[in-house]
Amino acid sequence: MTPAPASARPRQLPRPVLLPALRLPAAAGLIVFAVAVGTTQVALQVTNRQADRQLQQVGQVYLDGLVASVRPGLQAGDAAYISARFARAFGEQYGVVERALFAYAADGRLLARHGDPSLPEPAAEIVAGTTWRIDVETGIAWASRGVQEVSSPVGRLVAALDIAPVLAARERLAWTVVAVDLLLAAAFAVLTGLVLRRIGRPLRALVQELAEGAQRPPARLPEPLVAGSDPRTRHVLRAYNRMADGVRERERLSAVLAEREQVAALGELAATVAHEVRNPLGGLATAVSTLRRFGDRAEVREESLGFLERGIAALERIVTGTLDAYRPGNDRPLTRADFEDLRHLVRPAAERRGVTVAFDLDLPEGPIGLGSGGVRQVLLNLLLNACAATPPQGVVGLQARIVGGDLVCEITDEGDGLAPAEAMRLTGAAASEPGSRRLGIGVVVSLLGNLDAHASVTERPTGGTAIRLVIPLAIPGEGGGRG
């Protein structure tokens, strides 16, 4: 039984390349991380603005209460009264830490101040009417409020509020939120990458198998991998497995077809030889029987031995003529499809050797103008010999084209080269020697003679052998005109 080709044997799925396998999960993880960090930063900005508005409201409420207390002093321009009210306000307010209070007249003169004497006066824009400003460096929030009597301004109060503890607490909270956010974002990014990697593993395996399909027949994806995928992906993977099974079955049938074709050719040759040899063998058997019975008589012995010699010579002529003249009957026209058949017939032998077969065909689709049997047999023998001579990972090539009125084929391999004696036999420079070990070369030479073809053998510069066949077309104009 023919052993199964290497491509049909069960094997472990190759590990995917690391970078392409991680690209999508890593990208998704980075997106999740960036979104999480970005949304947290936006939330912090919104929170800080809300906290600033709340501080501003606290400062305005504080000044509202203080205005009612110092209004008479501002109307009268009484600095002592205002200072006393400021001192009292420092002791009565809770939740607000004042650093200093300032009272200005309507014309912008400073009437009174109370609090930290080292604190400078507020900036001109605060005195001029800016109601709120935070100085982050000093931790001071400046709150300003104008005082009016009916529609006439009577002065302005400015409070320097100490918000350094609030800013420090806010900064600590921001760093805590950022740290927690980074940890959570990194965790979710990693989790997202792992989930996507797990989900995408079946598709990555499928893509890898399809990518490697140009170098070898497709292999089935493991059933646990298929069963563990989602329904849509599972449907695609199972369709791929059915395709891989079909390809392997086609390869098996191709191997069987090639074997049967070789057996048929050998059977027809054997039948021809047996038919032609049967009659001479009867005469030889008669001569041997005569020798056994009358071998003591000289004239009978000489006559029988002469008959045996002539009979053996006749058998040799029959066998040699059969080998030289053998050609399958019922020959149909050669077409491009015959070359495509050769691709399938040679593939099992190529896979067993681990070599690649490359075809370069520049042929018409219709009849080429030759019988298919002889050309197929010649090319099949040469391609099989090339596969056997080429080391693993090598390349065997076949180029075929029409040049004028000839079919030109070139078979290349990457082996050690054809022996000089065999090359001379193939090109017709030397006759076949009795007892040659390579019967296939003799068959090829005989078939080339029947085709009136010419062969040339050259060594390739990169190593290996190139065999060029020039086969005249039986109908020169048919299929010609391409080169």
Side-chain angles (χ1 to χ4, degrees):
M1 180 179 294
T2 303
S7 61
R9 299 171 189 155
R11 63 181 184 84
Q12 294 293 330
L13 188 68
R15 293 174 61 87
V17 181
L18 181 61
L19 183 58
L22 293 178
R23 188 174 298 158
L24 179 60
L30 288 175
I31 291 174
V32 170
F33 182 83
V35 170
V37 173
T39 53
T40 301
Q41 295 301 315
V42 171
L44 283 176
Q45 294 295 328
V46 173
T47 302
N48 288 338
R49 285 197 295 269
Q50 183 66 26
D52 289 343
R53 284 194 293 269
Q54 291 177 350
L55 285 175
Q56 183 177 359
Q57 291 174 358
V58 170
Q60 293 301 322
V61 170
Y62 173 74
L63 289 178
D64 287 344
L66 190 60
V67 165
S69 177
V70 302
R71 183 186 296 273
L74 283 174
Q75 291 174 340
D78 189 348
Y81 180 85
I82 296 173
S83 298
R85 292 297 178 177
F86 280 174
R88 184 175 179 180
F90 261 66
E92 292 180 350
Q93 297 294 335
Y94 297 96
V96 178
V97 180
E98 308 95 332
R99 287 284 299 277
L101 294 174
F102 301 85
Y104 291 90
D107 57 3
R109 291 179 298 105
L110 178 63
L111 295 177
R113 65 173 291 172
H114 185 79
D116 187 354
S118 63
L119 193 68
E121 291 189 28
E125 61 267 20
I126 298 295
V127 177
T130 301
T131 59
W132 180 258
R133 196 186 72 178
I134 295 177
D135 189 347
V136 178
E137 295 183 358
T138 60
I140 299 296
W142 296 94
S144 174
R145 172 66 184 277
V147 182
Q148 293 185 343
E149 184 64 30
V150 187
S151 59
S152 300
V154 296
R156 177 170 291 276
L157 296 182
V158 178
L161 306 178
D162 187 1
I163 61 170
V166 176
L167 295 178
R170 185 191 298 180
E171 185 176 4
R172 289 193 300 270
L173 177 61
W175 281 111
T176 302
V177 170
V178 168
V180 173
D181 175 64
L182 290 176
L183 291 176
L184 291 177
F188 280 111
V190 172
L191 180 61
T192 301
L194 293 176
V195 170
L196 286 179
R197 179 172 171 78
R198 176 69 178 85
I199 294 175
R201 182 170 176 260
L203 290 179
R204 289 197 307 275
L206 174 61
V207 171
Q208 181 172 346
E209 285 296 329
L210 292 175
E212 295 179 357
Q215 305 298 327
R216 57 168 175 77
R220 282 181 61 88
L221 296 174
E223 189 57 34
L225 180 69
V226 177
S229 58
D230 62 273
R232 289 179 178 270
T233 304
R234 191 182 309 125
H235 177 74
V236 174
L237 298 185
R238 284 181 175 164
Y240 169 81
N241 278 348
R242 288 194 296 271
M243 181 198 72
D245 292 340
V247 171
R248 288 207 309 275
E249 180 64 15
R250 187 184 68 182
E251 298 298 330
R252 186 188 68 81
L253 293 176
S254 296
V256 172
L257 179 61
E259 184 177 356
R260 287 181 178 177
E261 186 167 331
Q262 291 178 351
V263 170
L266 291 175
E268 189 168 351
L269 176 61
T272 302
V273 173
H275 176 75
E276 298 295 332
V277 168
R278 182 173 54 185
N279 291 335
L281 283 179
L284 293 177
T286 302
V288 171
S289 176
T290 300
L291 282 174
R292 287 183 182 276
R293 295 172 58 189
F294 307 105
D296 56 338
R297 297 167 57 179
E299 67 276 11
V300 174
R301 186 169 59 250
E302 289 298 329
E303 182 179 356
S304 298
L305 290 176
F307 184 79
L308 287 173
E309 288 178 352
R310 291 190 299 274
I312 292 173
L315 287 177
E316 182 180 3
R317 287 194 301 273
I318 290 172
V319 173
T320 302
T322 302
L323 289 177
D324 291 341
Y326 174 73
R327 186 175 184 178
N330 300 323
D331 214 5
R332 59 177 177 78
L334 179 70
T335 65
R336 184 186 178 94
D338 291 296
F339 289 84
E340 298 296 340
D341 290 344
L342 288 173
R343 190 195 304 271
H344 300 296
L345 293 173
V346 174
R347 183 177 294 173
E351 290 178 354
R352 285 193 293 271
R353 288 287 298 168
V355 302
T356 301
V357 179
F359 277 44
D360 181 12
L361 306 178
D362 185 15
L363 299 171
E365 294 294 338
I368 295 176
L370 286 170
S372 62
V375 177
R376 282 171 60 108
Q377 193 64 28
V378 167
L379 295 179
L380 180 60
N381 275 279
L382 293 178
L383 286 171
L384 291 175
N385 287 341
C387 290
T390 300
Q393 310 303 323
V395 178
V396 171
L398 170 62
Q399 293 184 348
R401 62 189 183 276
I402 302 296
V403 180
D406 299 323
L407 170 64
V408 179
C409 301
E410 185 172 277
I411 299 92
T412 58
D413 63 49
E414 296 181 355
D416 296 331
L418 196 63
E422 303 294 348
M424 293 177 67
R425 290 181 57 201
L426 186 60
T427 57
S432 300
E433 299 178 0
S436 175
R437 294 185 295 106
R438 300 193 64 177
L439 179 62
I441 293 295
V443 173
V444 169
V445 170
S446 176
L447 293 172
L448 289 176
N450 292 334
L451 294 169
D452 293 329
H454 302 280
S456 60
V457 180
T458 57
E459 292 184 2
R460 303 173 65 197
T462 57
T465 303
I467 300 176
R468 189 172 188 267
L469 307 177
V470 180
I471 307 173
L473 298 178
I475 306 176
E478 187 170 341
R482 299 177 64 182

